[in-house]
Amino acid sequence: MHLPSRRLMLAGGLFMAAGPALAAPRRLAFAVFRNGERIGDHELTFETADQSLVVRTLAAMRVKIGPVVVYRYRHEAVERRLGAAFESLATNTNSNGKHERVEAQRQASLVEIVTAKGQVSAPASANPLTHWNAKAFQGPLFNPQTGKLLKVSVSRNGRIWSVRGEAEIDDTYDAAGDWAGLKGKLEDNSSIEYRRI
């Protein structure tokens, strides 16, 4: 069976708000569904520290065939933003036993991304595709799980932002600009959906 991988992780490593960064809600929580079956949860908490917005993410998912768990996923992240500007990101992911760590830091003229495979220099306008902040779609995106720069195009239709290319994801935001949900396709052509709870 071909199990969810990068695209699920994009969703899992996954959030972004259309309004000012420091006006984010205190908490966002989502139930995660694959082909209509609930497979886990994704929660973000927001706090301010030293004038920065600190966003903590925890996503945990399990895919089962009958009673047997065939895929486990856990993603933890800490993202910092100063106003609307990305400052840093640290993630730790366990994708069915495969461990990945990413550290990204904005420098004066670039974003330095460090993974176990080495270092990548991204444009200063780069943002992680963490979904909670729609303003991040205005610049280059990188995968918060792998650190890889994404080859995607982004378009907007009202409150829906669509990402196409290496990912196929539609993020929806509510009237306040808070992330309200996600729909997309995985590499095995199954569907994934985030429903806010």
Side-chain angles (χ1 to χ4, degrees):
M1 175 182 177
H2 185 76
L3 295 174
S5 57
R6 292 180 184 163
R7 289 183 181 165
L8 175 59
M9 301 321 115
L10 282 174
L14 322 133
F15 311 137
M16 314 181 211
L22 294 178
R26 299 289 297 174
R27 176 180 176 270
L28 287 173
F30 298 83
V32 183
F33 296 82
R34 176 177 179 264
N35 288 340
E37 180 179 345
R38 187 168 181 173
I39 61 170
D41 298 277
H42 189 121
E43 181 176 352
L44 300 97
T45 57
F46 302 80
E47 61 186 53
T48 54
D50 299 325
Q51 298 184 329
S52 293
L53 175 67
V54 180
V55 185
R56 300 181 189 278
T57 298
L58 174 60
M61 305 173 202
R62 297 188 310 165
V63 176
K64 298 165 71 172
I65 297 179
V68 180
V69 176
V70 295
Y71 182 83
R72 297 177 190 270
Y73 176 78
R74 183 178 177 89
H75 175 84
E76 298 176 72
V78 178
E79 180 178 356
R80 292 179 180 269
R81 302 188 78 88
L82 182 60
F86 168 73
E87 285 188 299
S88 66
L89 177 74
T91 68
N92 186 8
T93 307
N94 182 341
S95 178
N96 221 31
K98 180 181 179 182
H99 295 269
E100 296 181 281
R101 295 179 66 90
V102 172
E103 292 189 6
Q105 180 77 45
R106 182 179 299 284
Q107 308 293 342
S109 60
L110 55 83
V111 173
E112 182 180 84
I113 305 170
V114 179
T115 72
K117 295 181 179 179
Q119 181 176 316
V120 174
S121 294
S125 57
N127 283 280
L129 181 57
T130 49
H131 304 273
W132 65 266
N133 177 9
K135 287 187 175 182
F137 290 124
Q138 297 171 5
L141 297 167
F142 65 91
N143 185 323
Q145 176 182 321
T146 66
K148 178 184 175 183
L149 286 170
L150 295 170
K151 297 177 181 178
V152 294
S153 62
V154 178
S155 62
R156 181 181 182 183
N157 182 6
R159 294 179 184 168
I160 299 174
W161 288 82
S162 297
V163 179
R164 295 293 183 270
E166 291 182 300
E168 187 171 332
I169 295 170
D170 294 321
D171 281 306
T172 302
Y173 300 86
D174 64 19
D178 298 329
W179 190 41
L182 174 152
K183 291 183 179 181
K185 286 188 178 180
L186 305 175
E187 289 182 347
D188 63 354
N189 210 36
S190 60
S191 65
I192 186 165
E193 182 178 2
Y194 276 52
R195 302 176 191 169
R196 196 159 72 184
I197 54 177

